[in-house]
Amino acid sequence: MKRHKPSPVKTAAALALVALLWPLGAGAGDHDRARAARERGDIKPLEDILPGISRSHPGDIVKVELEREKGRWIYEIKLIDKDGRLVKLEVDARTAEIVEAEGR
């Protein structure tokens, strides 16, 4: 029987959904604010952000968080690149612009 390898984009989207619905260590209102920001169009859905990230920074996504920093929403994406290094990206959730990259 042939096994399917899960898509990194789908895996990261599922992780982000869990992070929005069950924020660890965050106040109960944090996920409500994030959901409202998405509904207002203040942030792009993660599934719209990840294809560009996969093109510019190929690798296996291991963690995604949505945080509010300095008045803007940031997707923090951690991935293991093709050389086995951990890369941390901070992506503006409104524009999809990578605002910081560490480890590359």
Side-chain angles (χ1 to χ4, degrees), residues 60-98:
D60 295 319
I61 296 171
V62 294
K63 186 174 183 180
V64 177
E65 293 179 0
L66 177 63
E67 301 173 343
R68 188 87 171 147
E69 293 182 6
K70 299 178 184 175
R72 68 179 174 180
W73 289 101
I74 298 289
Y75 283 114
E76 183 179 289
I77 301 170
K78 292 183 181 177
L79 61 92
I80 305 295
D81 72 7
K82 64 182 178 177
D83 296 323
R85 293 180 297 219
L86 178 66
V87 177
K88 177 184 166 190
L89 303 172
E90 291 191 2
V91 180
D92 185 298
R94 179 189 298 254
T95 66
E97 173 189 1
I98 297 172

Side-chain angles (χ1 to χ4, degrees), residues 18-54:
V18 169
L20 284 173
L21 297 177
W22 185 39
L24 298 175
D30 289 349
H31 66 282
D32 291 330
R33 285 195 317 251
R35 185 176 297 121
R38 181 177 172 180
E39 289 171 359
R40 285 190 309 269
D42 292 345
I43 64 174
K44 290 184 178 186
L46 186 60
E47 56 267 15
D48 292 352
I49 302 268
L50 289 178
I53 296 300
S54 293

